[in-house]
Amino acid sequence: MDQVPIGLNHYLMLSGVLFTVGIFGVLTRRNAIAVLMSTELMFNAANIALVAFSRFVTPAALTGQIVAMFTIIVAAAEATVALAIVLLIYRSFKGINVDRINFMKW
Amino acid sequence: MLELRGIIDAIWSFIVGLLAGLGIPQWAIELVGYALIAVVMFGVVAVIVLFLVWWERKVSAKMQDRLGPMRVGWHGIIQTIADAIKLLQKEDITPKAIDFPIHFWAPVVTFVAAFMVYVTVPFGKGLIVSDLSVGVLYIIAITTFTVIGLLMAGWGSNNKYSLLGGFRSAAQVVSYEVPLSLALLGVIMISQTLSLGTIVTQQDNLLKWYVWRQPLGFLIFWIAATAECNRTPFDLPEADSELVAGFVTEYSGMKFAMFFLAEFVNMFTASVVAVTLFFGGWMSPFGPDFGPSWMWFLGKTMFFVFVLMWFRWTYPRLRVDQLMGFAWKVLLPLAFLNILLTGLGIYLFDGLK
Amino acid sequence: MTEISLTNLTFYILSFCIIAGGIFTVSSRNLFHSAVFLVFTLFSVAGMFVMLNAYLLAAIQVLIYVGAVAMLMIFGVMLTTRLADVRLRHVNEQSWPALAICGFFLAFLVYGLWDTPFTVSGVPMPADTAHALGTLLMTKYVLPFEVVSLLLLAALVGAVVIAKKD
Amino acid sequence: MLQNAWIIPALPLAATVLIIFGTHRNRAVSSGISIAAIVSGFIYAVAILFNVLHDHGPHEFYFKWLDFGSWHLQIGLLIDPLTAVMLLVVTIVSSCVQIYSLGYMHGDPRFSRYFAYISLFSFSMLGLVLSNNFAMIFIFWELVGLTSYLLIGFWFEKKSASDAGKKAFITTRAGDLGFIVGILITLYACGTLNFGEVFTKIETGVFAGGLLTAAGIFLFCGAVGKSAQFPLHVWLPDAMEGPTPVSALIHAATMVAAGVYLVARILTIYIASESAGMVVAVIGITTSFMAASIGLVQNDIKRVLAYSTVSQLGYMIMALGLGAYTAGTFHLMTHAFFKALLFLAAGSVIHAVHTNDMQEMGGLGKKMKITALTMFIASFSIAGIFPLSGFWSKDEIVASTSGHPIFMVLTLMVAFMTAFYMFRLCFLTFTGGPRDQHKFDHAHESPKTMTVPLMVLAFLAIFAGWVGIPWLSHGFSSFVYHGEPHHAAFHFDIAGISLFVGLSGIGLAYLMYYKGTISPDKVAARFRPLYTLLYNKYYFDEIYDAIFVQPLYAICDFWFWFDQHIIDGLVNGAATLTLWWSIAKNWFDVYIIDGAVNGAGYTIRGTGSILRFAQTGRLQNYALIIFAGVILIWFLR
Amino acid sequence: MSGLLSWMIFIPLIGGVVILFFKQEQKSAIRAAATVTTIIPLILSLMMLWEYDPSTPAMQFVEHASWIPALNVFYHVGADGISVPMLFLTALLSMISIVASFGIEKRVKEYFAFFLLLETGMMGVFAALDFFLFYVFWEVMLVPMYFLIGVWGGPRKEYAAIKFFLYTLFGSIFMLVGILLLYFNTEPHTLSFLELIEHGPAFDHNLQLLVFVFFFIAFAIKIPAWPFHTWLPDAHVEAPTAVSVILAGVLLKMGTYGLLRISFPMLPYGTNYFIWPMAAIGVIGIIYGALVCMAQKDLKKLVAYSSVSHMGYCLLGMAAVTSVAGIQGCMFQMFAHGLITGALFILVGVIYDRAHTREIAAFGGLWLKLPVYSGVMILFVMGSLGLPGLAGFVSEFMVFIGSFPTFTWLTGIAVLGVLLTAGYFLRMVQKMFLGEFNTKWEGKLPDMNFREIFTVVPLAILMIAIGCYPKILSMWMQPTIQDLVRLIAR
């Protein structure tokens, strides 16, 4: 293993990878809940980046942590509503496959 | 004199010296240290829990005017160990239709989560693995893993009783977690810290126990904690008369034992938190240096464990709607009221501390 | 022979856990497995927060993500999925283009990361951030804090209204 | 005492308010309040008279009413001998009329309202005579006009009554326009409206010349309207549609005398401006002669009296125009009493026979002794027979014309005609045989409430003039005078001539209508054109209708048409033009511009119909494309 | 009380918004809420009168706050002797109109909401001291008025509403141009009334003439001065009763108010240049309006045209810029006309509610059966035709006094208007109230009820009080008008 001390770029890289994974999930999963989970992954990726920035760039100000905290809370709220919508969709469409919900199609 | 910290420190410095002498690198020593701590902790808690299992049987027997286990050891004191050995020997039945990984990992998650709490519990003066600055929050957070485990168990078993049990458990735990957290908030507001160690040291004699300032908080906490542990009268997830055995229906052998132990660990945890936050933790009622601190701690904790057992054999089980209604309609408003009152008290008598 | 720092080791282990968990989350055929992996990932992220000295955030991460969000997900899964659905195709037909695009995206992200000179501050992180965070929330960020409370309330009401059976 | 004179008008006002808002449901209480108010006023007026006899004044009391920045308008009370006399006259006549009305209006459904109006009138009239400036006098001037309007139209169900009310209001208002202009000129010239201050300005020569003459003539317009002088006299005969007591009070004794009072009050102007004074005098004698001549042939008992009133007012105006202050005001007083008496007596007759037409009366003297007696007394008085009060005052008026022969001749002719038509009236009504037996049979003497006022007034008709008997230390003229006391010497020649003229008028009437020696019909036939002219009142109403009323309506219709079709037409036309322009533009828009736009639209739609296959409606598709776009942008960076 | 004017302006708005949250069916609640909402500004306006210091011409109750700093626009309100009576009148008439609107059954909620919005606009116009604010309120008035006429009006309501709207908008555009001309000709650019008035004499003379004409067109349409008056009969006739009341009682006053507040002090040269045309237009309006009135067969139209005539007095009075009496007469006429014509419209509405016709000839002898109604109507008719002792006389008299020295002959002609007014009103009274009772209404026409009486009694009391003792009104305006005369004479 190399001797590079773990620094900002490591965390950002981790964040990027996780984000990409999340994107992949969002783009490909057919199930709405799975899509939601993927978005949660993306949130977490962002949070990692935020906290890392907070730790390495502005350790005294804690701004990143605050923002991350708000992100988490908002994510929770979002998940609540999203799942309520998913339930509604499930009742209306008898299924929650995203590619079947295409009412918007011309 | 009977403080364990000195003994442990001595043993640890001996081991470090030994390992360093063997040329083992620093990071490995640290790793070994962590591993040792974990093992010791696990051992201690496991022993306590084994004792609790026996004790529960004895208490229940006394309450029902029986004798309880008497055969294995003095008054059946090693009965639990015998049972454990029996369970470990038994065949691990895995039903065919289960979702195997889920079914497999569910008891592990539960078990591990139950033990993880003890990272930040002060057993005595200096007897704390890591006095986290967010200790209280940590405990609340970790206990939620139990639910995941139960849900996994319910789902993975592919059995409708299990699923229902899992559901009930999740609903119950999530619901009661809210008043529980809010009840603890009262203590946190007064103590101005989340660290358990600090909270204990703040309660350095009988009069400074937070239960005096938070009677309502304690009451709410204690009821909610009982529910969190899935203990009677809140034992709906495994209500055997309704759901066969709830989420544990499809488990047997070792896995069943893990669930079983986890339940007792949780029970112990609840008592530990109650003691630590409201009853001075390892502090003796007369000051920090009166008798061995860990004994005070264990004594107080055991009393609360006994109270839980006492509950179990006293109260009938609630209906599921009563359960939820009680949490949201009674405990939650009371918890809010408690916070309000606490805030008001702090505002009015700022010098209370 | 190189010295292995325990911190480095932990970081790599956690990174592995996070990424692996993420990949399993998005690729698992079984939705429930996805959810469990998600929990795993989220927990690992909490660990990452601990590494970054953000203890409070770690606790919150566990409390909210594991205790609430993931639980909701699992509930959602349970309410909308049957074990029998496992056999269904779980990804759509655009998975290959998506993979390509994700690859490109990651490549550019990494490129951008290495390319950007961040000004890393030498100031060490304060040990106890909980107190400071609490103070900040109640002073400097009190408005966002209140807004978020309102948002939560709205989400609560909204969720109830949306999911209510007519 | 004197500064509280406002109480006199305030009492009837209070009565009005009380009746309208309180007691109007109770007839007895309402009338009682009204009468009590005016009788109290009478007592107060007597007290004032004694005060003023002691100290002639003038006494003024005023307060600020209107602010106009640097200066302000004051209103207040002016009490001098003229005011004192007028107060007395008004309160006496008003009291009598109100008591009389108790009987006359008995049974009327709007009994209480009647008393409210009468009280309101009393308030206005008393306020008028107490005013110390033009603005205030104008205010009360208009208020008496209003009450006159209301009372003339009291029986408004009758079209003729409501017409008459309207006519009275509008005609007097026409005179008031001149009044307003006169006030404005006065204000413009003097900067004040207070009588005393204006007169001072005139005396110091500040207010003089053409402006003064114009002011005088315009102010006189008000008097012309209110006192029914030529050419605005037409309303007064019509005003007889009102209840007879009202005619007695308002259209004989008091309100119509307001014009005379006004001229007397501002006589300084007419003395200072010869020409204005002459205009007044000419108008006065013209009116007098014209009205008297019409009165000769009228058959309606009240109309005869109305023209008589117009004629007598003309007398007074003429006297004032000639500068005879004392004569005018003296006649004003005596006339008030005997004319009120005449009307009330006539009312008593009408009350008995329910008709105004003298042709249907006759021989009523047998059945209505008191009425007949008082009527004859009044007639003798107005005919100027010694020693009744009319004799003394008319004598002074005739004396005042001594410098102007034409005036004197006309005055005497009027006196003759007056005597003639008054006795024509008396003989037709009370003597001879009944011409309508049915009405005669039902006739009866009026109740006490009516006859007692008649007797009081008869007393006054006889004796009121005695205050002016020259031999008795010139009682009236040393009290009411303008400038220095001016005692008209008693000329036996003039008195003799006028007495002779009056007696000959009576004699002619006696021959024609009592004895029947000369047939009225033959006389009428002989002078047919003249008779017709007189009978139709010189066609004044018809002429006015033709040259004022109808053209006015035509003009109004025209302007309304103009408003609707020209002005509004312009507006609507502008709108229509805009609309046409819009239509044209619309065509252009629809076919040219829109064509182009639609063409573009079709093109786009064609393209779209191909491209729409890109719209899968799947979220994830779109998201994919978004990210692809992000990467593309990165590439293109 | 600070912010008095703002409260007066915005409480109706708040009330209107609150009313929108009611259910359409809760009619009585809506009515009660609207009434309360209008009573509060009325009480506030009484407080304003109480606290107003009449000894100084300075602006009082001033509120000054930055609004659009880039354009130098301020939220600037205040009241002086010209606006205080108008604010009071607005509050009073609004309250009365709301009460008079209780008979509205169609879309009650929207009606009252619009009405309250309208009140906000009116209050704002009278209180604004900043052109931008003034213009905003001016236009704010327009919209609810349009809907009130267009939705709740009579048979030709659409025509009337659009005519009103376009006419007024036409004027507003001129006003806007005028405002911009003034704005760009001051340095620094300002929209503040007070600053522009300070700056007034310094404006270029030709500019003053141009801007004066522009403003005059805008305000003349609102007054409405001949020949810009043709929207008025239509709007009045089609509008519901209460709206007519507001239209006649308050909106018409905005024109004269605008001239007094804006044109005169800001453009002294232009004012003095144009006094003769103004007086001439005023006199034409008086005579012309009166003549047209006489040809009317519709009662409401008659009252409407009488407004044209009466507002002519205002113009004539204010044209006499050198005399306090003239301008004060104009102010009196504004106030008196608001009271009297407002009441007349209410009374027209009362009879229309019962008979569903306004044809004068269709009635007759009403006095026999409706004594209270007839008495009140005749009282106000007398007020309108200038009977002494009532407010109308005082104002006309003051106008004549003021204008006579300057416009001797014109005033002489204008006096004829008094006669013509008497003529057409008496004709109307005779045809409607006197004569035989028209038996087709037998039993169909009950007398006024308590609510209706309540709506006219305050107006009657004020009318008589002002007529008997004008000082109760003139005391508010004296110093301000003197100051105005001084400003015009600059």
Side-chain angles (χ1 to χ4, degrees), chain E residues 47-368:
Chain E
M47 283 171 61
M48 179 184 70
L49 289 180
W50 177 255
E51 287 186 18
Y52 182 78
D53 173 12
S55 60
T56 161
M59 283 290 166
Q60 301 183 30
F61 315 106
V62 173
E63 291 164 44
H64 194 261
S66 187
W67 186 13
I68 309 174
L71 297 176
N72 226 353
V73 169
F74 292 91
Y75 176 76
H76 191 182
V77 293
D80 66 358
I82 301 176
S83 37
V84 159
M86 287 297 113
L87 286 166
F88 171 69
L89 182 71
T90 308
L92 178 71
L93 284 178
S94 299
M95 195 275 278
I96 283 168
S97 306
I98 288 284
V99 175
S101 306
F102 281 6
I104 296 278
E105 292 291 340
K106 173 184 170 193
R107 312 187 120 207
V108 179
K109 186 168 88 174
E110 290 83 353
Y111 178 87
F112 283 107
F114 274 132
F115 217 112
L116 293 170
L117 178 61
L118 180 67
E119 190 184 354
T120 292
M122 297 185 298
M123 292 279 193
V125 166
F126 286 131
L129 290 181
D130 185 284
F131 257 128
F132 195 87
L133 194 64
F134 182 83
Y135 194 78
V136 166
F137 281 126
W138 185 274
E139 298 295 323
V140 158
M141 265 176 352
L142 211 54
V143 177
M145 205 63 195
Y146 172 76
F147 283 110
L148 285 171
I149 297 173
V151 177
W152 290 271
R156 288 171 73 230
K157 58 195 178 188
E158 289 87 1
Y159 173 74
I162 201 122
K163 196 169 179 181
F164 165 78
F165 195 85
L166 290 181
Y167 240 120
T168 318
L169 209 59
F170 178 74
S172 301
I173 288 159
F174 278 97
M175 179 161 78
L176 191 59
V177 175
I179 291 172
L180 293 177
L181 280 173
L182 289 185
Y183 179 68
F184 287 113
N185 278 289
T186 44
E187 198 58 50
H189 299 336
T190 179
L191 288 168
S192 160
F193 283 180
L194 302 181
E195 287 170 29
L196 284 168
I197 288 170
E198 277 307 308
H199 193 269
F203 284 122
D204 180 61
H205 283 182
N206 289 328
L207 176 80
Q208 290 202 22
L209 299 182
L210 184 66
V211 175
F212 189 89
V213 169
F214 279 5
F215 278 150
F216 187 77
I217 291 173
F219 295 136
I221 285 175
K222 208 82 182 174
I223 289 176
W226 187 88
F228 303 111
H229 65 278
T230 54
W231 64 269
L232 179 100
D234 285 310
H236 269 314
V237 168
E238 300 307 325
T241 300
V243 178
S244 299
V245 173
I246 290 294
L247 202 56
V250 184
L251 256 65
L252 304 193
K253 311 304 174 295
M254 309 236 155
T256 41
Y257 174 80
L259 285 171
L260 288 176
R261 162 73 70 234
I262 295 170
S263 302
F264 280 23
M266 280 181 205
L267 310 163
Y269 176 80
T271 309
N272 285 306
Y273 190 90
F274 280 116
I275 53 171
W276 277 95
M278 275 169 65
I281 289 177
V283 171
I284 291 173
I286 294 171
I287 302 297
Y288 183 93
L291 286 175
V292 174
C293 268
M294 200 141 352
Q296 296 307 318
K297 297 181 171 56
D298 181 313
L299 180 57
K300 206 167 181 185
K301 223 163 183 174
L302 185 144
V303 180
Y305 270 112
S306 83
S307 289
V308 177
S309 176
H310 281 117
M311 293 310 283
Y313 291 107
C314 282
L315 263 180
L316 177 63
M318 69 164 65
V321 288
T322 50
S323 94
V324 174
I327 294 177
Q328 188 167 327
C330 168
M331 285 294 298
F332 261 74
Q333 178 72 350
M334 284 158 73
F335 199 88
H337 179 258
L339 296 176
I340 296 168
T341 310
L344 282 177
F345 274 118
I346 290 175
L347 293 166
V348 172
V350 167
I351 197 71
Y352 183 73
D353 284 348
R354 285 157 175 65
H356 303 292
T357 178
R358 289 186 296 251
E359 189 78 7
I360 293 173
F363 297 98
L366 292 183
W367 207 342
L368 290 168

Side-chain angles (χ1 to χ4, degrees), chain A residues 19 23 25-31 35 42 98-106, chain D residues 608-609 611-628:
Chain A
F19 194 79
I23 289 177
V26 168
L27 291 184
T28 55
R29 293 305 298 256
R30 299 180 69 219
N31 189 299
V35 173
M42 291 161 75
V98 182
D99 46 10
R100 254 193 261 157
I101 307 164
N102 56 359
F103 271 17
M104 295 276 280
K105 191 181 181 186
W106 47 268
Chain D
S609 62
L611 284 181
R612 70 176 181 176
F613 292 106
Q615 300 292 313
T616 58
R618 291 188 193 162
L619 198 65
Q620 289 164 318
N621 257 164
Y622 299 155
L624 186 74
I625 292 164
I626 288 168
F627 278 103

Side-chain angles (χ1 to χ4, degrees), chain C residues 78-147:
Chain C
M78 286 175 161
L79 289 171
T80 57
T81 319
R82 287 173 293 277
L83 274 179
D85 288 350
V86 168
R87 306 283 162 240
L88 287 174
R89 198 161 51 91
H90 70 286
V91 290
N92 56 21
E93 64 274 12
Q94 62 182 19
S95 51
W96 288 113
L99 195 59
I101 280 172
C102 286
F104 274 116
F105 190 80
L106 185 60
F108 284 119
L109 220 50
V110 172
Y111 172 76
L113 276 180
W114 287 124
D115 213 28
T116 315
F118 294 104
T119 48
V120 174
S121 163
V123 183
M125 194 74 180
D128 180 11
T129 55
H131 231 106
L133 281 172
T135 314
L136 277 178
L137 272 185
M138 281 296 149
T139 51
K140 194 174 171 188
Y141 296 100
V142 70
L143 183 68
F145 180 75
E146 293 297 333
V147 172

Side-chain angles (χ1 to χ4, degrees), chain D residues 84 94 199 222 226 241 269 302 326 330 393 410 482 554 574 580 636:
Chain D
S94 191
F199 299 156
K226 197 86 10 180
E241 293 292 342
I269 294 176
K302 282 180 74 179
T326 310
F330 189 28
S393 57
L410 287 171
H482 184 267
W580 284 349
L636 296 175

Side-chain angles (χ1 to χ4, degrees), chain E residues 449-460:
Chain E
N449 59 30
F450 177 76
R451 177 176 64 80
E452 288 158 347
I453 292 173
F454 172 78
T455 55
V456 291
V457 160
L459 302 176

